[in-house]
Amino acid sequence: MEPPIVYYPRSEYIETDTGNKVSRKSVICGSQNIILGGKTIIQTDCVIRGDLRRTGGGHAVVVAIGRYCLLAKGSIIRPPYKTYKGYYPMKIGDHVTIGEGSIVEAATIGSFVHIGKNCVIGRFAIIKDCCRIEDNTVIPPNTVVPSFSIYEGSPGMFVDELPECVQDLYEAKTKDYYSKFQSKDS
Amino acid sequence: MSQQIDARQRSYVHYYCPCPDVSKSNNNTGEDEEEDIVESIPDFDVNSPRIHFSTFPISKLYFCDDCHQIRCPRCVQEEIVCYYCPNCLFEVPTASVKSERNRCARNCFQCPICQNTLTVVASTEPPPPQPSASSNSSASTTSGAPYYLSCGVCRWDSQEIGMTFEKATGLALQLQKTEDERPDVKEFDHLKDHFEKHLRLSAPSTTLPSSLLSIPGISSFSNRYGGGGFTHPQQKSDDVAKYNNTIKIENDDNLVHDLVQLKDVNQITTLTQRMNQLSDQPYKVERLQPQRIHLRTKRVKRCRSCRHILIKPEQKAQATRFKIKLVALNHIPKLTITSLPKLFLNQSTEIILKFSNPLYEEIIVDLALKKDETTETTEYAKIKLLAPHFNITPYNEVWEYDEQDFNISSKGRPSSTASAPKPDIGIYERRGNYTSVKIEITPLAEVDELKVRESTPTTKSLFFWTVIGLGPVVNPATVKPPAPTRSPLTNNNSNVAPTRTNIN
């Protein structure tokens, strides 16, 4: 089934010159420490904590997000921390979809990943390229999700393997979503 | 509204792989290709329960260039390329896979209670870093001598069973000694020694490549292929001496006594926990031990008839690229449902199917419902194809980069390429590398899932069936119209408002 065209009121989103569409109703803390790759969509009520960083001085990238990513409504991105060691930087790859209401505290997320709704990704989880995390999954801290796997359940366990063409599929899906996410003068 | 979303999520397009009917298609002489192909692929019943196992979404299908056929995951043959640990992502050389019994040889362990990965934790925590340099030496000495394993999910730790380690790395090596003392491992080693001499005599050389030997059960075929000197099977088997088992395990009578006296069911292991520790399968939770993590494999997939490689991944465990990737997504047109209005009983509705062309050449598509028929009436629905014959323009990579222009351009191609002056009947939209066509459907029965089947040959004489699931059919008589119930309320409101304004 083809996804429909989604309209958003033009006044609600900021569109940067690299094509990022950031909602004004999202909570972005420490925006100078956050890098968005380009053509990334951040929807309403998203929280990105770029202010949680180690005191080190100088410009440090706390959250790096790739191209064509989608952070759906209500998702929370915060960097992971270790006691006595502080916060660690977080890196999200390209073509990543993070579903509504998900809380992501992973150390790295690879490219071409689909994370479902209401997921909880624990601290220092490593999600490699081309993975899928189903809705309502809880990934425990320190887990490694290898490539081409589908994780489901609470705690998230390996359930299935993804087909080899998933990279093309997710790339087409995110590009298609971006082209269908259009502004409308309300 | 929720029903509409439900219908859209339940709609799908699956492709049929004729691998169960392989005997019929092999009888082709191949003289008149198109006719033969149309006749050889048999008519299939959409509503039979067998269909569920033979139809797949296009993402799961492969395409063999040589045979020019779709291959499904059930009819490809797999061979193992490399083994890697799913936790540390470390590639294990094939030689040590057998000696490590297909498990990770490093620090990867599985919690015996919840089967999640365990982390290595120091018994004493290092103190918080202090700026003075003199405290550095004391910090290194107190960084936890006995290490233990801890689970982040169920809070189990290996100190409960008394398992601690001296060093933080090479944990499997530290456990090696206790593992070798296990009765099942010792018995297996005895068996291997006993049969080794016999094995070397009976099967001197096998013609199978070593990668195939990793598949369990394949060695039984090696007798058929490589057994040149295997002329007298009866004689050879007589040479094997009778094996006396060396390890004796006594029955544990105390266990039965303890189980009878149990008060709390949480003290017994669950079936999953027991099956993860196959060596002794304990009943009591205290006897569960963390197991090393099983390795995962990267596999090469081959076409079953011509042995052509369809999928070849890169040798490195961490790479996600493929050296050879012949997937159906890149070779056959992809069908998606663009618009699916609610299906009502006895009401004809139009659905729009989008055909996308992934090739660099134009393809001509012929749709048919049942061997060159464009209308069909089954007990479930009356289906009419409005556009049985159309072409799809080729894929052009330039459109990937010219996205802005692509979106702004109006529906329908510019007049230079659309040579036909009259409008194409039944074609909804023709844009880029896809064509959308209309199909008219009149459901005749109220079903939970309406399925339609179609066959689609293209110019290179490729023919395949697709099953299109359209979701539920609703009987409009049973749907209560909400509008009349609301109107008395609105009438009341409108009566109230003027009186208020009058008072004010």
Side-chain angles (χ1 to χ4, degrees), chain B residues 94-152:
Chain B
T94 329
S96 43
V97 163
K98 252 187 168 177
S99 61
E100 298 292 339
R101 282 172 231 108
N102 297 337
R103 290 174 190 259
C104 184
R106 295 161 108 231
N107 312 321
C108 306
F109 285 90
Q110 211 182 33
C111 174
I113 311 290
C114 62
Q115 284 83 47
N116 283 103
T117 38
L118 296 171
T119 43
V120 183
V121 175
S123 299
T124 56
E125 270 205 31
Q130 288 164 19
S132 57
S134 58
S135 64
N136 276 351
S137 52
S138 58
S140 56
T141 48
T142 54
S143 61
Y147 293 90
Y148 64 95
L149 297 166
S150 152
C151 177

Side-chain angles (χ1 to χ4, degrees), chain A:
Chain A
M1 192 69 209
E2 287 266 316
I5 299 185
V6 180
Y7 288 108
Y8 62 88
R10 192 191 292 273
S11 53
E12 197 186 306
Y13 277 73
I14 306 169
E15 186 165 341
T16 69
D17 41 356
T18 46
N20 295 314
K21 297 185 178 169
V22 182
S23 164
R24 287 180 207 270
K25 293 189 186 158
S26 61
V27 181
I28 314 262
C29 308
S31 51
Q32 61 270 28
N33 301 325
I34 301 174
I35 291 184
L36 293 179
K39 308 218 164 147
T40 296
I41 300 174
I42 300 182
Q43 294 189 334
T44 48
D45 294 327
C46 280
V47 175
I48 306 186
R49 299 296 305 269
D51 55 334
L52 301 172
R53 54 171 287 185
R54 290 195 211 186
T55 51
H59 281 287
V61 176
V62 176
V63 178
I65 303 181
R67 291 165 50 83
Y68 286 102
C69 286
L70 166 67
L71 269 68
K73 300 189 175 70
S75 48
I76 299 175
I77 312 268
R78 74 192 304 275
Y81 73 95
K82 269 200 178 120
T83 35
Y84 300 128
K85 294 240 176 102
Y87 286 93
Y88 283 72
M90 199 173 157
K91 182 159 168 36
I92 299 181
D94 303 331
H95 302 279
V96 173
T97 311
I98 299 183
E100 293 169 14
S102 290
I103 302 175
V104 178
E105 239 184 296
T108 53
I109 298 184
S111 306
F112 310 102
V113 174
H114 177 101
I115 298 179
K117 302 183 194 171
N118 300 318
C119 285
V120 177
I121 314 279
R123 291 179 294 132
F124 295 102
I126 297 176
I127 303 180
K128 304 301 270 182
D129 298 343
C130 305
C131 291
R132 187 185 170 92
I133 315 274
E134 296 283 354
D135 297 345
N136 307 314
T137 314
V138 175
I139 302 275
N142 299 304
T143 33
V144 174
V145 175
S147 306
F148 297 105
S149 35
I150 302 181
Y151 270 59
E152 197 180 349
S154 163
M157 305 285 260
F158 173 78
V159 288
D160 205 357
E161 275 214 8
L162 278 172
E164 290 76 10
C165 61
V166 71
Q167 183 165 326
D168 304 323
L169 259 171
Y170 284 176
E171 186 179 340
K173 185 182 76 156
T174 47
K175 284 188 175 170
D176 189 44
Y177 189 91
Y178 182 81
S179 69
K180 292 201 167 129
F181 192 72
Q182 292 164 9
S183 68
K184 190 172 70 159
D185 296 313
S186 53

